[in-house]
Protein backbone atom coordinates (compact mmCIF):
# COMPACT_ATOMS: atom_id res chain seq x y z
CA UNK A 1 0.00 0.00 0.00
CA UNK A 2 2.88 2.34 0.75
CA UNK A 3 4.32 1.62 -2.70
CA UNK A 4 1.00 2.40 -4.43
CA UNK A 5 -0.16 5.43 -2.45
CA UNK A 6 2.84 6.68 -0.50
CA UNK A 7 3.34 7.17 3.22
CA UNK A 8 1.55 10.53 3.46
CA UNK A 9 -1.59 9.20 1.78
CA UNK A 10 -1.57 6.15 4.04
CA UNK A 11 -1.39 8.41 7.09
CA UNK A 12 -4.41 10.31 5.76
CA UNK A 13 -6.26 7.04 5.12
CA UNK A 14 -5.57 5.95 8.71
CA UNK A 15 -7.02 9.23 9.99
CA UNK A 16 -10.13 8.90 7.85
CA UNK A 17 -10.54 5.23 8.76
CA UNK A 18 -10.87 6.06 12.46
CA UNK A 19 -12.69 9.36 11.90
CA UNK A 20 -15.41 7.71 9.82
CA UNK A 21 -16.06 4.81 12.19
CA UNK A 22 -15.17 5.79 15.76
CA UNK A 23 -18.02 8.25 16.46
CA UNK A 24 -20.52 5.74 15.03
CA UNK A 25 -19.49 2.74 17.07
CA UNK A 26 -18.82 4.80 20.21
CA UNK A 27 -22.48 5.86 20.28
CA UNK A 28 -23.56 2.25 19.76
CA UNK A 29 -21.65 1.12 22.87
CA UNK A 30 -22.97 4.05 24.90
CA UNK A 31 -26.53 3.03 24.07
CA UNK A 32 -25.93 -0.68 24.66
CA UNK A 33 -24.42 -0.19 28.14
CA UNK A 34 -26.56 2.80 29.15
CA UNK A 35 -23.84 5.35 29.83
CA UNK A 36 -24.87 8.04 27.35
CA UNK A 37 -23.91 11.54 28.42
CA UNK A 38 -22.00 14.70 27.52
CA UNK A 39 -19.19 14.71 30.08
CA UNK A 40 -15.68 13.45 30.80
CA UNK A 41 -16.98 10.28 32.45
CA UNK A 42 -18.77 9.28 29.24
CA UNK A 43 -15.70 9.94 27.09
CA UNK A 44 -13.46 7.86 29.35
CA UNK A 45 -15.92 4.95 29.53
CA UNK A 46 -16.01 4.95 25.74
CA UNK A 47 -12.23 4.74 25.53
CA UNK A 48 -12.24 1.80 27.94
CA UNK A 49 -14.54 -0.12 25.57
CA UNK A 50 -12.96 0.97 22.28
CA UNK A 51 -11.46 -1.64 19.95
CA UNK A 52 -8.56 0.76 19.41
CA UNK A 53 -7.55 0.83 23.08
CA UNK A 54 -7.44 -2.85 24.06
CA UNK A 55 -6.71 -3.48 27.74
CA UNK A 56 -3.24 -4.88 28.47
CA UNK A 57 -1.96 -3.87 25.02
CA UNK A 58 -2.70 -0.24 25.90
CA UNK A 59 -2.84 0.62 29.60
CA UNK A 60 -4.90 3.81 29.84
CA UNK A 61 -5.07 5.55 33.24
CA UNK A 62 -7.65 8.25 33.90
CA UNK A 63 -7.85 11.26 36.21
CA UNK A 64 -11.13 13.17 36.56
CA UNK A 65 -11.01 16.67 38.04
CA UNK A 66 -14.69 17.36 37.43
CA UNK A 67 -17.33 16.62 34.76
CA UNK A 68 -15.59 18.91 32.27
CA UNK A 69 -11.88 18.47 33.04
CA UNK A 70 -9.80 15.33 33.02
CA UNK A 71 -6.53 13.72 32.00
CA UNK A 72 -5.35 10.35 30.86
CA UNK A 73 -1.95 8.80 30.36
CA UNK A 74 -0.67 5.51 29.02
CA UNK A 75 1.52 3.60 31.41
CA UNK A 76 2.08 1.17 28.55
CA UNK A 77 1.40 1.52 24.81
CA UNK A 78 1.92 -1.62 22.77
CA UNK A 79 1.43 0.32 19.55
CA UNK A 80 4.34 2.60 20.45
CA UNK A 81 6.61 -0.33 21.23
CA UNK A 82 5.70 -1.87 17.86
CA UNK A 83 6.52 1.35 15.98
CA UNK A 84 9.59 2.64 17.85
CA UNK A 85 11.97 0.17 16.14
CA UNK A 86 10.84 1.64 12.79
CA UNK A 87 12.31 5.02 13.73
CA UNK A 88 11.17 8.46 14.93
CA UNK A 89 9.51 9.35 11.62
CA UNK A 90 7.01 6.53 12.06
CA UNK A 91 6.53 7.35 15.73
CA UNK A 92 5.72 10.93 14.82
CA UNK A 93 3.33 9.71 12.14
CA UNK A 94 1.34 7.73 14.71
CA UNK A 95 1.65 9.92 17.79
CA UNK A 96 1.41 13.35 16.11
CA UNK A 97 0.14 13.24 12.52
CA UNK A 98 -2.65 10.75 13.26
CA UNK A 99 -3.44 11.62 16.88
CA UNK A 100 -3.61 15.39 16.54
CA UNK A 101 -6.59 15.31 14.14
CA UNK A 102 -8.18 12.23 15.65
CA UNK A 103 -8.63 12.39 19.41
CA UNK A 104 -11.22 15.16 19.18
CA UNK A 105 -13.33 13.08 16.81
CA UNK A 106 -13.49 10.23 19.30
CA UNK A 107 -15.00 12.75 21.70
CA UNK A 108 -17.52 13.95 19.06
CA UNK A 109 -19.73 11.02 19.97
CA UNK A 110 -20.04 12.49 23.48
CA UNK A 111 -19.55 16.23 23.18
CA UNK A 112 -18.44 18.20 20.09
CA UNK A 113 -16.86 20.85 22.33
CA UNK A 114 -14.35 18.46 23.87
CA UNK A 115 -10.65 19.00 23.16
CA UNK A 116 -7.93 16.42 23.75
CA UNK A 117 -4.45 17.95 23.91
CA UNK A 118 -1.00 16.48 24.66
CA UNK A 119 0.92 17.10 27.85
CA UNK A 120 3.75 15.04 26.37
CA UNK A 121 3.94 12.27 23.78
CA UNK A 122 6.54 10.32 21.76
CA UNK A 123 9.13 10.32 20.33
CA UNK A 124 10.24 9.72 23.89
CA UNK A 125 12.81 12.12 25.33
CA UNK A 126 14.64 10.84 27.22
CA UNK A 127 14.48 7.37 25.68
CA UNK A 128 12.33 5.00 27.69
CA UNK A 129 10.27 7.82 29.23
CA UNK A 130 7.19 6.74 31.17
CA UNK A 131 4.31 7.16 31.09
CA UNK A 132 4.48 6.76 27.34
CA UNK A 133 2.18 9.75 26.78
CA UNK A 134 -0.21 12.01 28.70
CA UNK A 135 -3.18 14.14 27.58
CA UNK A 136 -5.69 16.63 28.92
CA UNK A 137 -9.39 16.43 28.08
CA UNK A 138 -11.40 19.62 28.50
CA UNK A 139 -15.00 20.36 27.59
CA UNK A 140 -15.72 24.07 27.26
CA UNK A 141 -18.67 25.82 25.63
CA UNK A 142 -16.25 28.44 24.24
CA UNK A 143 -14.48 25.82 22.10
CA UNK A 144 -15.55 25.63 18.45
CA UNK A 145 -17.58 22.46 17.92
CA UNK A 146 -15.91 19.60 16.07
CA UNK A 147 -17.94 18.00 13.29
CA UNK A 148 -17.56 14.62 11.68
CA UNK A 149 -15.96 14.07 8.28
CA UNK A 150 -18.25 13.29 5.29
CA UNK A 151 -17.34 9.60 5.42
CA UNK A 152 -18.88 9.34 8.88
CA UNK A 153 -22.32 10.03 7.42
CA UNK A 154 -21.80 7.24 4.88
CA UNK A 155 -20.64 4.78 7.55
CA UNK A 156 -23.61 5.73 9.76
CA UNK A 157 -26.00 4.56 7.03
CA UNK A 158 -24.48 1.10 6.60
CA UNK A 159 -26.22 -2.02 7.83
CA UNK A 160 -23.41 -2.58 10.33
CA UNK A 161 -24.03 0.83 11.91
CA UNK A 162 -27.81 0.40 12.14
CA UNK A 163 -27.86 -3.28 13.10
CA UNK A 164 -30.10 -4.11 16.05
CA UNK A 165 -28.64 -6.66 18.45
CA UNK A 166 -30.42 -8.49 21.25
CA UNK A 167 -30.77 -6.27 24.32
CA UNK A 168 -28.91 -7.16 27.49
CA UNK A 169 -30.97 -9.26 29.90
CA UNK A 170 -31.06 -7.29 33.18
CA UNK A 171 -32.23 -10.34 35.15
CA UNK A 172 -28.93 -12.20 34.81
CA UNK A 173 -26.36 -12.18 37.59
CA UNK A 174 -23.68 -9.53 37.18
CA UNK A 175 -23.52 -5.99 35.78
CA UNK A 176 -26.04 -5.40 33.01
CA UNK A 177 -24.66 -1.99 32.04
CA UNK A 178 -21.99 0.63 32.79
CA UNK A 179 -24.31 3.37 34.06
CA UNK A 180 -22.56 3.53 37.42
CA UNK A 181 -19.31 5.21 38.41
CA UNK A 182 -16.29 5.30 36.12
CA UNK A 183 -13.96 2.45 37.10
CA UNK A 184 -10.20 2.82 37.09
CA UNK A 185 -9.92 -0.79 35.89
CA UNK A 186 -12.88 -2.41 34.17
CA UNK A 187 -13.44 -5.91 35.54
CA UNK A 188 -15.08 -7.64 32.60
CA UNK A 189 -15.74 -10.64 34.79
CA UNK A 190 -18.18 -8.51 36.79
CA UNK A 191 -20.52 -8.15 33.81
CA UNK A 192 -23.34 -10.60 33.25
CA UNK A 193 -23.09 -13.21 30.51
CA UNK A 194 -25.66 -11.31 28.47
CA UNK A 195 -23.70 -8.04 28.80
CA UNK A 196 -20.43 -9.70 27.81
CA UNK A 197 -22.06 -11.20 24.71
CA UNK A 198 -23.35 -7.76 23.73
CA UNK A 199 -19.94 -6.14 24.35
CA UNK A 200 -18.22 -8.81 22.24
CA UNK A 201 -20.75 -8.38 19.42
CA UNK A 202 -20.32 -4.61 19.51
CA UNK A 203 -16.52 -4.97 19.32
CA UNK A 204 -16.94 -7.22 16.27
CA UNK A 205 -19.09 -4.51 14.69
CA UNK A 206 -16.43 -1.95 15.56
CA UNK A 207 -14.02 -3.99 13.45
CA UNK A 208 -16.50 -4.13 10.56
CA UNK A 209 -17.17 -0.40 10.76
CA UNK A 210 -13.45 0.40 10.71
CA UNK A 211 -13.10 -1.79 7.64
CA UNK A 212 -15.97 0.03 5.93
CA UNK A 213 -14.43 3.40 6.72
CA UNK A 214 -11.03 2.21 5.49
CA UNK A 215 -12.62 1.14 2.21
CA UNK A 216 -14.24 4.54 1.72
CA UNK A 217 -10.90 6.29 2.23
CA UNK A 218 -9.10 3.95 -0.17
CA UNK A 219 -11.76 4.23 -2.89
CA UNK A 220 -11.64 8.02 -2.67
CA UNK A 221 -8.03 7.81 -3.82
CA UNK A 222 -8.33 4.92 -6.26
CA UNK A 223 -10.94 6.77 -8.31
CA UNK A 224 -12.04 4.71 -11.29
CA UNK A 225 -9.46 2.01 -10.56
CA UNK A 226 -11.80 -0.35 -8.73
CA UNK A 227 -9.28 -3.18 -9.00
CA UNK A 228 -6.68 -1.19 -7.07
CA UNK A 229 -9.20 -0.45 -4.31
CA UNK A 230 -10.26 -4.10 -4.20
CA UNK A 231 -6.65 -5.27 -3.98
CA UNK A 232 -5.72 -2.90 -1.16
CA UNK A 233 -8.87 -3.64 0.87
CA UNK A 234 -8.47 -7.40 0.37
CA UNK A 235 -4.85 -7.36 1.52
CA UNK A 236 -5.83 -5.32 4.58
CA UNK A 237 -8.50 -7.87 5.50
CA UNK A 238 -6.16 -10.81 4.89
CA UNK A 239 -3.60 -9.34 7.25
CA UNK A 240 -6.11 -8.65 10.00
CA UNK A 241 -7.89 -11.99 9.56
CA UNK A 242 -4.71 -14.05 9.76
CA UNK A 243 -3.41 -12.40 12.92
CA UNK A 244 -6.81 -12.64 14.62
CA UNK A 245 -7.17 -16.32 13.68
CA UNK A 246 -3.75 -17.15 15.10
CA UNK A 247 -4.53 -15.38 18.38
CA UNK A 248 -7.89 -17.17 18.75
CA UNK A 249 -6.30 -20.56 18.07
CA UNK A 250 -3.51 -19.93 20.58
CA UNK A 251 -5.73 -18.42 23.30
CA UNK A 252 -8.15 -21.36 23.25
CA UNK A 253 -5.50 -24.04 22.62
CA UNK A 254 -7.41 -25.26 19.59
CA UNK A 255 -6.19 -28.22 17.58
CA UNK A 256 -4.13 -27.77 14.41
CA UNK A 257 -6.59 -29.64 12.22
CA UNK A 258 -9.83 -29.04 10.33
CA UNK A 259 -11.89 -29.11 13.51
CA UNK A 260 -9.70 -26.45 15.09
CA UNK A 261 -9.84 -24.31 11.95
CA UNK A 262 -13.64 -24.48 11.87
CA UNK A 263 -13.83 -23.46 15.52
CA UNK A 264 -11.58 -20.47 14.79
CA UNK A 265 -13.86 -19.47 11.91
CA UNK A 266 -16.91 -19.79 14.12
CA UNK A 267 -15.40 -17.30 16.59
CA UNK A 268 -13.64 -14.99 14.13
CA UNK A 269 -14.68 -11.31 14.30
CA UNK A 270 -15.06 -11.08 10.52
CA UNK A 271 -17.78 -13.75 10.67
CA UNK A 272 -19.57 -12.21 13.66
CA UNK A 273 -21.94 -11.12 15.05
CA UNK A 274 -24.44 -13.66 13.74
CA UNK A 275 -27.08 -10.98 13.16
CA UNK A 276 -24.72 -9.34 10.64
CA UNK A 277 -22.90 -12.29 9.04
CA UNK A 278 -24.79 -15.56 8.67
CA UNK A 279 -21.92 -18.06 8.70
CA UNK A 280 -22.99 -21.67 9.19
CA UNK A 281 -20.41 -24.25 10.19
CA UNK A 282 -21.79 -27.78 10.13
CA UNK A 283 -20.38 -31.14 9.12
CA UNK A 284 -16.95 -29.72 8.47
CA UNK A 285 -18.17 -27.09 6.01
CA UNK A 286 -18.33 -23.29 6.18
CA UNK A 287 -21.30 -21.72 4.41
CA UNK A 288 -21.85 -17.96 4.32
CA UNK A 289 -25.52 -17.32 3.65
CA UNK A 290 -27.28 -14.09 2.62
CA UNK A 291 -27.38 -11.68 5.55
CA UNK A 292 -27.25 -7.92 6.22
CA UNK A 293 -23.53 -7.97 5.35
CA UNK A 294 -24.06 -9.64 1.97
CA UNK A 295 -27.12 -7.83 0.61
CA UNK A 296 -26.57 -5.41 -2.24
CA UNK A 297 -28.26 -2.04 -2.66
CA UNK A 298 -27.14 -1.16 -6.15
CA UNK A 299 -28.72 -3.72 -8.42
CA UNK A 300 -25.51 -5.43 -9.49
CA UNK A 301 -24.16 -8.84 -8.67
CA UNK A 302 -21.05 -8.34 -6.59
CA UNK A 303 -18.64 -10.82 -5.08
CA UNK A 304 -18.34 -8.76 -1.91
CA UNK A 305 -20.85 -7.66 0.71
CA UNK A 306 -22.35 -4.25 0.02
CA UNK A 307 -20.92 -2.95 3.27
CA UNK A 308 -17.43 -3.89 2.05
CA UNK A 309 -17.94 -3.58 -1.70
CA UNK A 310 -15.28 -1.66 -3.70
CA UNK A 311 -17.80 -1.00 -6.52
CA UNK A 312 -19.88 1.46 -4.50
CA UNK A 313 -23.07 3.04 -5.81
CA UNK A 314 -22.77 6.49 -7.38
CA UNK A 315 -24.49 8.10 -4.39
CA UNK A 316 -21.50 7.11 -2.25
CA UNK A 317 -18.83 8.64 -4.48
CA UNK A 318 -16.69 11.25 -2.80
CA UNK A 319 -13.56 13.29 -3.40
CA UNK A 320 -10.56 13.42 -1.09
CA UNK A 321 -11.79 14.30 2.38
CA UNK A 322 -10.61 17.27 4.41
CA UNK A 323 -9.92 15.95 7.90
CA UNK A 324 -7.96 18.76 9.45
CA UNK A 325 -8.77 18.88 13.18
CA UNK A 326 -11.04 15.86 12.81
CA UNK A 327 -10.80 12.11 13.45
CA UNK A 328 -10.83 9.41 16.18
CA UNK A 329 -8.37 7.96 18.60
CA UNK A 330 -5.36 6.59 16.71
CA UNK A 331 -4.63 3.04 17.78
CA UNK A 332 -1.62 2.28 15.69
CA UNK A 333 0.29 3.10 12.54
CA UNK A 334 -1.34 2.93 9.12
CA UNK A 335 -1.55 -0.61 7.78
Amino acid sequence: MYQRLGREEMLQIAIEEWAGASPVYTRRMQTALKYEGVDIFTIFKGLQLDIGAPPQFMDFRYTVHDRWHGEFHLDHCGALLDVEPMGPEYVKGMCHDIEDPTFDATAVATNPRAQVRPIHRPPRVPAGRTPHCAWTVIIDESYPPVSGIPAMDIVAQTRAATLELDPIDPSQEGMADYSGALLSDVDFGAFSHSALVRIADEVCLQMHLLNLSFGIAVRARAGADAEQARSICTKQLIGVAGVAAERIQRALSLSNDAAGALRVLELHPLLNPAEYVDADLTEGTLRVRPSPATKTDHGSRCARPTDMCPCKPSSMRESNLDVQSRGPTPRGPPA
Side-chain angles (χ1 to χ4, degrees):
M1 284 188 282
Y2 283 104
Q3 292 177 338
R4 296 190 187 190
L5 299 175
R7 180 176 174 275
E8 291 303 316
E9 280 298 283
M10 287 308 303
L11 283 172
Q12 237 358 73
I13 287 173
I15 292 168
E16 294 171 26
E17 174 186 3
W18 290 99
S22 176
V24 176
Y25 67 61
T26 297
R27 292 188 185 108
R28 283 190 58 95
M29 192 70 86
Q30 289 176 354
T31 301
L33 294 184
K34 300 183 181 351
Y35 62 89
E36 295 167 290
V38 296
D39 56 17
I40 294 292
F41 299 102
T42 310
I43 293 173
F44 287 172
K45 288 180 180 181
L47 287 173
Q48 289 177 323
L49 296 165
D50 194 302
I51 190 174
Q56 299 180 57
F57 185 66
M58 290 183 169
D59 187 6
F60 278 74
R61 295 290 156 177
Y62 303 95
T63 300
V64 176
H65 301 299
D66 56 47
R67 287 187 65 194
W68 317 115
H69 300 82
E71 300 175 13
F72 66 84
H73 65 269
L74 270 73
D75 279 341
H76 171 86
C77 179
L80 173 64
L81 298 184
D82 282 343
V83 172
E84 276 187 325
M86 300 167 69
E89 182 181 12
Y90 284 88
V91 172
K92 182 179 180 297
M94 180 178 72
C95 300
H96 293 244
D97 299 338
I98 296 177
E99 288 186 351
D100 281 347
T102 60
F103 265 130
D104 287 354
T106 297
V108 162
T110 299
N111 195 315
R113 297 187 187 276
Q115 289 189 358
V116 184
R117 298 294 181 266
I119 300 171
H120 70 81
R121 34 76 177 281
R124 291 193 280 173
V125 179
R129 180 179 185 176
T130 57
H132 288 173
C133 66
W135 303 76
T136 63
V137 185
I138 300 174
I139 300 171
D140 193 310
E141 286 300 311
S142 68
Y143 291 160
V146 177
S147 58
I149 65 172
M152 188 185 75
D153 294 331
I154 299 173
V155 173
Q157 296 174 34
T158 62
R159 292 185 173 90
T162 57
L163 186 72
E164 290 191 17
L165 296 171
D166 289 339
I168 297 170
D169 182 357
S171 68
Q172 290 188 0
E173 182 179 356
M175 290 171 52
D177 57 52
Y178 195 6
S179 60
L182 173 70
L183 303 173
S184 58
D185 285 299
V186 177
D187 178 8
F188 288 95
F191 284 99
S192 69
H193 173 79
S194 178
L196 286 173
V197 169
R198 180 59 183 268
I199 292 170
D201 282 347
E202 290 291 345
V203 172
C204 288
L205 282 177
Q206 290 182 10
M207 185 174 182
H208 285 290
L209 289 163
L210 283 166
N211 180 63
L212 303 180
S213 192
F214 175 80
I216 292 169
V218 169
R219 293 194 299 269
R221 288 154 177 83
D225 192 349
E227 184 52 43
Q228 182 190 50
R230 180 180 290 108
S231 174
I232 291 173
C233 292
T234 299
K235 288 177 180 178
Q236 169 89 341
L237 276 178
I238 289 172
V240 171
V243 172
E246 184 179 9
R247 288 188 60 86
I248 293 169
Q249 191 272 342
R250 187 170 61 246
L252 300 181
S253 300
L254 299 176
S255 57
N256 294 313
D257 55 16
L262 284 169
R263 181 59 175 159
V264 167
L265 288 171
E266 185 178 19
L267 299 172
H268 202 287
L270 288 179
L271 295 176
N272 282 285
E275 291 89 342
Y276 186 59
V277 183
D278 186 358
D280 177 40
L281 295 102
T282 56
E283 300 178 356
T285 301
L286 168 65
R287 298 179 181 86
V288 180
R289 296 194 172 95
S291 64
T294 59
K295 291 179 181 177
T296 163
D297 290 325
H298 49 97
S300 63
R301 296 183 63 83
C302 178
R304 290 184 177 276
T306 294
D307 272 358
M308 302 181 194
C309 176
C311 47
K312 61 188 175 185
S314 58
S315 62
M316 294 175 64
R317 299 189 185 279
E318 69 288 316
S319 59
N320 287 0
L321 304 175
D322 177 8
V323 294
Q324 296 303 312
S325 300
R326 302 172 184 177
T329 311
R331 283 79 179 178

